[in-house]
Amino acid sequence: MCGIFGLISKKNVLKSCINGLKLLEYRGYDSFGIAGLTKDNMFLYKKPGKISLLEENLKNIKVHLSLAIGHTRWATHGKPTKLNAHPHMDHKSSIALVHNGIIENFDEIKKMLISKNIHFQTDTDTEVIVQLITYYYKNDLIKATKKALNKLIGSYAIALIHKDYPNQIIASSKESPLAIAIDEKKDEMLISSDPNAFLGKDLNITFLSNNEIALITNKKINIYSNTLNLLNKKYERFNSKKISANKNGYEHYMLKEIYEQPITIQKAYFGRILDFNKKVEFEDFNLSKNYLQNLNHIFILACGTSYHAALYAKYLIEDLAKTHVFAEIASEMRMKELLITNKDLAIAISQSGETADTLLATKLIKNYDSNILAIINKTNSTLSREATSYIFVKAGPEFSVCSTKAFTSQITVMYLFAIYLASIKKIDKLNTSLLLKELKKIPSKIKKVLKLAPQIKILAKKYSKYEKFFFLGRNYMYVAALEAALKLKEISYINANAYPAGELKHGPLALACEDHPVIAFLSNEKTYDKMLSNLMEIKARNAPILAIASKKSKAIEDIADDVIYLPKTIDELSILPSSVASQLLAYYIAKERKTDIDQPRNLAKSVTVE
Ligand code: AGP
C-alpha cells in the first residue's frame, strides 16, 4: 500500500528519486519523504500530501545527493502527519529508513526499547524497526539489520541508509515485494516496491525473496540469504523504454485508460485465437489438458474489481464448460474451512499481483495441493511467482486507482479460458467459432461506445447531484451492475449499491424514491423482459431510471427517464460495452463533483496490506 524507491548514482539523485516516487504514488499518497546523503551529512525532507509539493519547491533546495531513499505512504499506523511520514530516523539520527508493510509485534518491541530508555517520536510501526537496528548496531550494519528484522512478525519491504556509510543502501523484504535493479548504461543502482518506478528505463532486475538482504553500493549489489551467505541471484532484462507513464494529453489516467480499451481488449486475445476461430491456446500455459478435463471444481478468488471478473467467470464457465465454479472474495475465503482438493483448480485474479488478501488466500490454498492459475496484469509480481501457471492480461500499466482497462482485459481472458476449458471437455453444442468471431468484433463496438461520451457527459451532469444510487442487473448484467457501482463509489464518493434486480422486492425496494435513481443494465436478451418488469416496480415509486441497453423498445422508452443505447453483442460479451459506458458515466459524474479521480481519498492502487 506504500511505495519505496531508492537509488545510487554518480549524478545528483534528488530529481530521479522524485520521479521514481511519482510513478509509485498510485500505491499511496497520504504523505511522502526523501532521505539522502550529501558528502558530510544526512538530508531529510518529508511532508503530508503528494510528492508534487517537493517538486514545486525543488528550486529552493540546493543539495547534491549521491544516494537517496524515498517513500509514498498510505497510512496504516498513525495519521498522515509530517511526523509519521517516512523516512523514519533512529534516536541518534544516524539511520533513515523507509518501510512498506505491517509489523504485527511492534508494540511489544516498542515497550522493550522504551524500557531501555529509547525515546520514540512517532506512533508508527516503522519507527520500531529503525530504533531496533540502532539498538543492535555495534559496528556491523548488515548484521544489526538482520538481527532486528529477525525479531519482526509481519510484512516488510525496507530500505535504509546510515550517515557513517556514505555509499550504501541496505534493503530487505518479507511478504512485501522489493525489486533491485542495475542500469548499466547510467551506472545506477535502483530499488523499488514495484517495477512501475523503472518505467522508461532499460535495466537488469531481480526481486528479493523472503528474508534476503541486499547491500547496494555504486560498484555492486550483494544479496545475502537469511543466514548472510552471499547468493548468486538471477537477473532478467526489464526494458520499458517504449512504455510511457504520461497521460498523453488526457486530463486523467482514468480517461486515458478508458480510451485504451479497444486496443487492450484486442491485446488480451491477440495470438490466442487459432485455426480460423476454431481454437484457443495460451502461451507458456502449463496446466495439462488431462488435469483440466477431470477437474471437480474451480475456485476463483480475488478482491474488488477483480472479484467482479471472478463472478463473471463463474457464470460463464458454468454456462459453457459445465464445471462448478465458486467465486470467492479472497479476504472472506481466508476465514473459512476450504473444501478444496488437488482435483480442483484455484484461479487468482489480480491486476497488481500484489494484493495481500489475494496472496494470503493463495498461500493458504497451496496447503491443499491445488494448482493455482494466476490471471495477472504484471508478470513481475508476487502472485506470478506463487502460481503454478499464469495468463497475462496484457493491459499495460494501469495508473488510475480505479481499474478500467485491466477489468475488461480480465473479462476477455476469462472468456477465452471458458471457451478453452469447454473445448477440452468436448462440450457439445459449443459454438467456438461464433463465440470467437463475436469477441473479435468487440474492439470496434467499444470504439462506438466511446463515441457516446458527449451524451454520457450530459447525463452525468444531470445525475451528479444525487447522493445515492441503485445499480441493477440480472445474471451477467448483475456483474456489470456490481462493477459500475464500485466505479461510481470509489471516484465520486457517492453511495452506490448494486443488487440482482430480482432481489429488490425482498427489501431494498423500501429505499426507492425520487432522490434515489436507478441505473439498470438491460443488454442481455435473456433477462431483458424481466428487467423491464423490475423497472416498472421502480417507476411506480417515482425513482429516476437511467437504462443502459442495446435494444430499443416502446416499453423501455416509456419506463426509463434516460437510455444509453449500446452496440449489440451476445449476452456473454455484453458486460464489455456496458462496463465501458458505466466507466465513462462514473468518470464524468466524478468530474462534476470535482473529486481526485486518479487518486481518490482513502484508497490506493495496490492494497498490499490485509
Ligand atoms: C478497482 O477499481 C479498485 N481499485 C480495487 O477494487 C481493486 O480492483 C482491488 O483492490 C484488487 O486489486 P488487484 O486486482 O490488483 O488485486
Side-chain angles (χ1 to χ4, degrees), residues 93-161:
S93 298
S94 53
I95 300 177
L97 178 140
V98 291
H99 164 230
N100 179 28
I102 288 188
I103 305 306
E104 291 162 16
N105 62 334
F106 84 97
D107 201 35
E108 162 203 331
I109 298 174
K110 185 168 182 174
K111 287 195 178 91
M112 182 278 283
L113 292 170
I114 290 172
S115 72
K116 308 283 184 191
N117 296 323
I118 289 173
H119 171 65
F120 279 78
Q121 296 193 355
T122 78
D123 35 18
T124 65
D125 55 341
T126 303
E127 188 187 357
V128 165
I129 306 174
V130 70
Q131 298 286 21
L132 192 60
I133 293 169
T134 286
Y135 175 70
Y136 285 132
Y137 177 65
K138 303 281 177 286
N139 50 26
D140 184 325
L141 191 55
I142 277 261
K143 278 208 175 102
T145 304
K146 197 75 199 90
K147 188 172 179 185
L149 296 178
N150 287 341
K151 296 282 184 208
L152 305 181
I153 298 170
S155 63
Y156 59 78
I158 61 135
L160 67 93
I161 57 178

Side-chain angles (χ1 to χ4, degrees), residues 30-296:
D30 291 330
S31 65
F32 72 90
I34 292 181
L37 293 179
T38 62
K39 59 180 186 318
D40 43 23
N41 62 22
M42 177 83 79
F43 165 86
L44 180 66
Y45 187 106
K46 58 183 191 173
K47 278 183 114 163
K50 295 186 179 176
I51 189 79
S52 52
L53 293 174
L54 172 54
E55 210 168 15
E56 289 146 20
N57 190 25
L58 203 54
K59 54 190 176 308
N60 306 326
I61 299 175
K62 304 284 177 238
V63 67
H64 187 284
L65 301 178
S66 57
L67 61 80
I69 55 174
H71 185 272
T72 55
R73 182 173 185 239
W74 183 83
T76 53
H77 292 66
K79 291 190 182 317
T81 60
K82 176 174 180 176
L83 200 58
N84 288 336
H86 300 213
H88 287 284
M89 304 283 291
D90 64 317
H91 64 285
K92 295 178 180 169
S93 298
S94 53
I95 300 177
L97 178 140
V98 291
H99 164 230
N100 179 28
I102 288 188
I103 305 306
E104 291 162 16
N105 62 334
F106 84 97
D107 201 35
E108 162 203 331
I109 298 174
K110 185 168 182 174
K111 287 195 178 91
M112 182 278 283
L113 292 170
I114 290 172
S115 72
K116 308 283 184 191
N117 296 323
I118 289 173
H119 171 65
F120 279 78
Q121 296 193 355
T122 78
D123 35 18
T124 65
D125 55 341
T126 303
E127 188 187 357
V128 165
I129 306 174
V130 70
Q131 298 286 21
L132 192 60
I133 293 169
T134 286
Y135 175 70
Y136 285 132
Y137 177 65
K138 303 281 177 286
N139 50 26
D140 184 325
L141 191 55
I142 277 261
K143 278 208 175 102
T145 304
K146 197 75 199 90
K147 188 172 179 185
L149 296 178
N150 287 341
K151 296 282 184 208
L152 305 181
I153 298 170
S155 63
Y156 59 78
I158 61 135
L160 67 93
I161 57 178
H162 191 296
K163 66 179 175 54
D164 299 341
Y165 296 73
N167 180 32
Q168 76 177 37
I169 295 175
I170 289 180
S172 186
S173 92
K174 180 183 165 209
E175 304 299 342
S176 187
L178 198 59
I180 311 267
I182 301 169
D183 186 335
E184 285 167 344
K185 290 191 188 63
K186 291 190 178 170
D187 203 6
E188 285 183 346
M189 311 295 192
L190 304 99
I191 62 166
S192 173
S193 312
D194 178 333
N196 260 5
F198 303 146
L199 282 184
K201 296 176 180 292
D202 183 358
L203 306 161
N204 293 318
I205 181 173
T206 189
F207 286 81
L208 291 184
S209 300
N210 278 350
N211 303 312
E212 290 178 350
I213 186 164
L215 175 57
I216 301 145
T217 69
N218 64 354
K219 294 270 183 294
K220 63 182 171 24
I221 296 175
N222 283 345
I223 297 177
Y224 301 94
S225 69
N226 193 30
T227 49
L228 294 182
N229 296 316
L230 187 60
L231 296 170
N232 182 19
K233 291 282 279 189
K234 193 168 71 67
Y235 285 74
E236 54 184 284
R237 181 88 179 279
F238 178 83
N239 184 355
S240 60
K241 279 195 168 306
K242 292 200 179 63
I243 300 177
S244 83
N246 59 44
K247 295 176 197 155
N248 294 349
Y250 288 94
E251 190 179 350
H252 296 99
Y253 279 117
M254 182 180 175
L255 195 60
K256 175 191 170 204
E257 289 153 5
I258 289 173
Y259 275 80
E260 286 178 355
Q261 290 178 109
I263 294 169
T264 49
I265 288 171
Q266 192 177 36
K267 281 183 176 173
Y269 67 71
F270 186 72
R272 292 169 168 169
I273 298 177
L274 310 173
D275 294 354
F276 302 102
N277 306 318
K278 292 267 185 321
K279 202 165 89 159
V280 170
E281 287 291 347
F282 298 106
E283 66 283 1
D284 309 327
F285 188 69
N286 54 24
L287 297 178
S288 75
K289 290 189 161 65
N290 179 48
Y291 161 72
L292 292 171
Q293 265 165 349
N294 299 297
L295 275 182
N296 268 348

Side-chain angles (χ1 to χ4, degrees), residues 303-306 349-353 355 358 401-403 410 486-487 490 605 607:
C303 303
T305 282
S306 297
I349 302 179
S350 176
Q351 188 284 131
S352 62
T355 298
T358 307
V401 166
C402 182
S403 188
Q410 289 168 344
L486 178 60
K487 294 302 94 155
E490 66 179 328
K605 182 66 179 174
V607 185

Side-chain angles (χ1 to χ4, degrees), residues 292-293 298 313-325 417-427 430:
L292 292 171
Q293 265 165 349
I298 295 176
K314 166 188 168 59
Y315 289 160
L316 188 69
I317 292 170
E318 290 182 343
D319 273 355
L320 298 187
K322 313 303 175 204
T323 301
H324 197 159
V325 181
F417 179 78
I419 295 167
Y420 175 77
L421 186 61
S423 51
I424 288 175
K425 294 184 69 176
K426 299 183 177 31
I427 303 289
L430 177 74

Side-chain angles (χ1 to χ4, degrees), residues 532-559:
L532 286 176
S533 54
N534 289 138
L535 294 185
M536 294 286 282
E537 295 158 15
I538 300 278
K539 184 128 192 102
R541 275 82 184 172
N542 304 317
I545 297 171
L546 167 55
I548 298 179
S550 49
K551 181 168 89 175
K552 203 167 243 182
S553 65
K554 186 179 178 315
I556 201 167
E557 295 281 321
D558 292 346
I559 296 168

